[in-house]
């Protein structure tokens, strides 16, 4: 089959890890007889330098009408001035918002080969296999007022945690639907002891749960969830959280898997019926959960696995290529089982190799 993909490498290690996932996709094409056409766009800091805006019009038009989008990372010290009018991160936030990608799926697994790469005790990591459903287009990231100003008594700043019933309802349903295909357990994360928006969230979660009598729903406060995620990570199956809680909890959860560089994500405009997005549905975006890691950019040592696994999620969810997705995941497992490591996961004594070698090994194993 033929597929058209938009690739947005972005800044920092973005282009390095994207290159490896393209290598892997090309290998998938050869092995399974598919043709991938890649069209590249600029986004983030690089786009600010070139055009003055982190998401040029040309880039957003490249994102429409394609089978899927593969995204690297954005940001870096060069654009970090707190008084800057535009920021690289605004690029990815605008794409998410404009394409309506409200559901961000972040699976967290501990691959057996990496059980000793995590600072968390191996005995706690057995059986860890959860998916965090992060709300991606609401809450503190987007609601107004959102601004800074000066008063006679000093500087002020405000962000707004606002959610509508519809936004909460639709993200919770994504969680419940996923839970139905998994262990039938859903953890809804909130801060209902303090926040009004969380009390609404909890109320709606309880209401929606009535339509899913087969799913066991628990409500957990976000601070307690942060603790339990390390103390008893195997307890969790599907976790649903608002935008910022989900952002924080998934960086934390990545420690279980060995490194922030390991985790993929899919940003969808809703869960496709039957678990698969057909071609022609709304476009989805796939990106690793890590950022642009400017401290290691350009050194060829970044871990490409989060991006490669994001490409696998793309094969599965947007292109309907289950066997191909599994082949990529198996090849990742294989390279790790053979002891190959990028530096971030190399503390267990495996053979530490460069980004491009890891990509080639995974591509070679397809
Ligand atoms: C993520 C990142 C982004 C976010 C940043 C780069 C804006 O941390 O995808 O988790 O906060 O959503
Ligand atoms: Mg994050």
């Amino acid at each position: 089959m033929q597929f058209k993909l938009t690739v947005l490498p972005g800044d920092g290690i973005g282009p390095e890890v994207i290159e490896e996932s393209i290598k892997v996709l090309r290998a998938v094409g050869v092995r399974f007889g598919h043709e991938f056409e890649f069209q590249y766009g600029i986004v983030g800091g690089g786009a600010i330098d070139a055009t003055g805006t982190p998401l040029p019009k040309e880039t957003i038009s490249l994102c429409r009408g394609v089978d899927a989008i593969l995204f690297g990372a954005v940001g870096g010290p060069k654009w970090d001035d707190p008084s800057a009018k535009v920021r690289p991160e605004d690029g990815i936030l605008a794409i998410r918002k404009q394409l309506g990608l409200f559901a961000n799926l972040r699976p967290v697994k501990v691959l057996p080969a990496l059980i000793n790469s995590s600072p968390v005790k191996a005995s706690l990591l057995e059986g860890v296999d959860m998916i965090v459903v992060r709300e991606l287009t609401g809450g503190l990231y987007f609601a107004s007022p959102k601004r800074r100003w000066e008063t006679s008594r000093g500087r002020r700043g405000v962000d707004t945690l606002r959610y509508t019933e519809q936004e909460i309802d639709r993200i919770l349903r994504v969680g419940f639907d996923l839970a139905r295909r998994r262990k039938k357990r859903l953890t809804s994360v909130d801060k209902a002891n303090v926040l009004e928006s969380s009390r609404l969230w909890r109320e709606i979660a309880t209401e929606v749960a009535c339509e899913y009598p087969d799913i066991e729903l628990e409500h957990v406060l976000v601070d307690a969830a942060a603790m339990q995620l390390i103390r008893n990570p195997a307890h969790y199956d599907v976790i649903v959280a608002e935008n910022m809680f989900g952002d924080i909890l998934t960086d934390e959860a990545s420690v279980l898997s060995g490194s922030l560089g390991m985790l993929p994500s899919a940003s969808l405009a809703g869960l496709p019926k039957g678990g698969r997005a057909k071609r022609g549905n709304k476009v989805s975006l796939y990106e690793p959960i890590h950022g642009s890691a400017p401290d290691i950019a350009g050194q060829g040592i970044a871990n490409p696995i989060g991006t490669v696994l994001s490409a696998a999620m793309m094969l599965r969810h947007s292109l309907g290529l289950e066997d191909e997705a599994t082949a990529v995941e198996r090849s990742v497992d294989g390279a790790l089982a053979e002891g190959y490591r990028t530096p971030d996961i190399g503390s267990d004594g495996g053979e530490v190799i460069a980004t491009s070698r890891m990509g080639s090994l995974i591509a070679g194993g397809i």
Side-chain angles (χ1 to χ4, degrees), residues 231-264:
R231 240 174 61 128
N232 186 14
H235 164 77
Y236 292 107
D237 186 35
V238 179
I239 296 179
V240 187
E242 70 89 30
N243 202 344
M244 179 133 147
F245 294 164
D247 179 44
I248 296 170
L249 290 179
T250 47
D251 264 32
E252 185 192 358
S254 77
V255 174
L256 305 167
S257 73
S259 162
L260 188 56
M262 289 296 299
L263 295 195

Side-chain angles (χ1 to χ4, degrees), residues 62-364:
L62 286 177
C63 292
R64 300 190 195 274
V66 289
D67 291 302
I69 305 161
L70 199 55
F71 187 93
V74 287
K78 183 174 176 196
W79 307 282
D80 259 352
D81 175 2
S83 64
K85 289 234 159 51
V86 284
R87 297 184 53 93
E89 289 79 1
D90 297 338
I92 181 61
L93 298 183
I95 296 179
R96 291 170 180 170
K97 193 73 175 176
Q98 290 187 35
L99 299 181
L101 306 174
F102 69 89
N104 185 222
L105 312 187
R106 300 188 158 188
V108 182
K109 279 188 202 156
V110 178
L111 302 180
L114 291 187
I115 203 142
N116 294 315
S117 296
S118 169
V120 177
K121 266 195 267 176
S123 61
L124 291 176
L125 295 175
E126 247 159 69
V128 169
D129 178 6
M130 69 182 95
I131 182 158
V132 180
V133 179
R134 171 186 174 196
E135 201 289 325
L136 205 58
T137 53
L140 286 167
Y141 278 61
F142 294 98
S144 52
K146 179 181 199 60
R147 67 187 182 100
R148 282 177 52 160
W149 71 101
E150 294 196 10
T151 74
S152 54
R153 285 190 286 157
R155 289 165 290 179
R156 303 268 161 94
V158 64
D159 293 283
T160 304
L161 211 183
R162 175 185 296 116
Y163 269 107
T164 66
E165 175 174 351
Q166 290 73 19
E167 285 172 319
I168 298 172
D169 181 276
R170 67 182 181 179
I171 194 68
L172 281 160
R173 283 175 195 279
V174 169
F176 277 107
D177 287 339
L178 275 175
R180 233 176 212 167
R181 293 182 213 140
R182 295 173 54 102
K183 293 186 208 134
K184 305 205 175 351
R185 275 209 329 266
L186 183 84
T187 304
S188 171
V189 169
D190 62 40
K191 185 72 185 171
N193 52 347
V194 178
L195 301 177
E196 214 43 74
S197 56
S198 278
R199 287 193 270 272
L200 177 64
W201 181 286
R202 190 174 281 216
E203 198 172 290
I204 293 171
T206 306
E207 287 163 13
V208 175
C210 297
E211 293 175 43
Y212 294 84
D214 50 323
I215 309 294
E216 186 192 323
L217 166 70
E218 65 169 355
H219 304 280
V220 180
L221 296 172
V222 64
D223 47 353
M227 174 190 61
Q228 292 294 353
L229 210 46
I230 298 296
R231 240 174 61 128
N232 186 14
H235 164 77
Y236 292 107
D237 186 35
V238 179
I239 296 179
V240 187
E242 70 89 30
N243 202 344
M244 179 133 147
F245 294 164
D247 179 44
I248 296 170
L249 290 179
T250 47
D251 264 32
E252 185 192 358
S254 77
V255 174
L256 305 167
S257 73
S259 162
L260 188 56
M262 289 296 299
L263 295 195
S265 88
S267 302
L268 314 173
L271 198 63
K273 299 254 171 350
R276 230 150 253 121
K278 294 213 184 63
R279 293 182 71 182
N281 267 16
K282 285 196 174 166
V283 181
S284 307
L285 179 146
Y286 299 84
E287 58 169 321
I289 83 154
H290 64 70
S292 60
D295 51 324
I296 60 161
Q299 301 175 36
I301 57 170
N303 184 347
I305 294 178
T307 314
V308 168
L309 292 176
S310 301
M313 290 186 88
M314 176 188 81
L315 293 169
R316 174 174 294 121
H317 292 293
S318 280
L319 311 187
L321 303 177
E322 177 67 34
D323 291 348
E324 290 80 342
T326 309
V328 173
E329 289 160 355
R330 289 224 177 104
S331 188
V332 168
D333 292 351
L336 295 172
E338 282 169 39
Y340 295 108
R341 306 279 185 268
T342 42
D344 56 317
I345 46 175
S347 64
D348 65 349
E351 183 181 342
V352 173
I353 58 172
T355 310
S356 65
R357 176 111 192 276
M358 183 60 94
S360 300
L361 282 167
I362 298 167

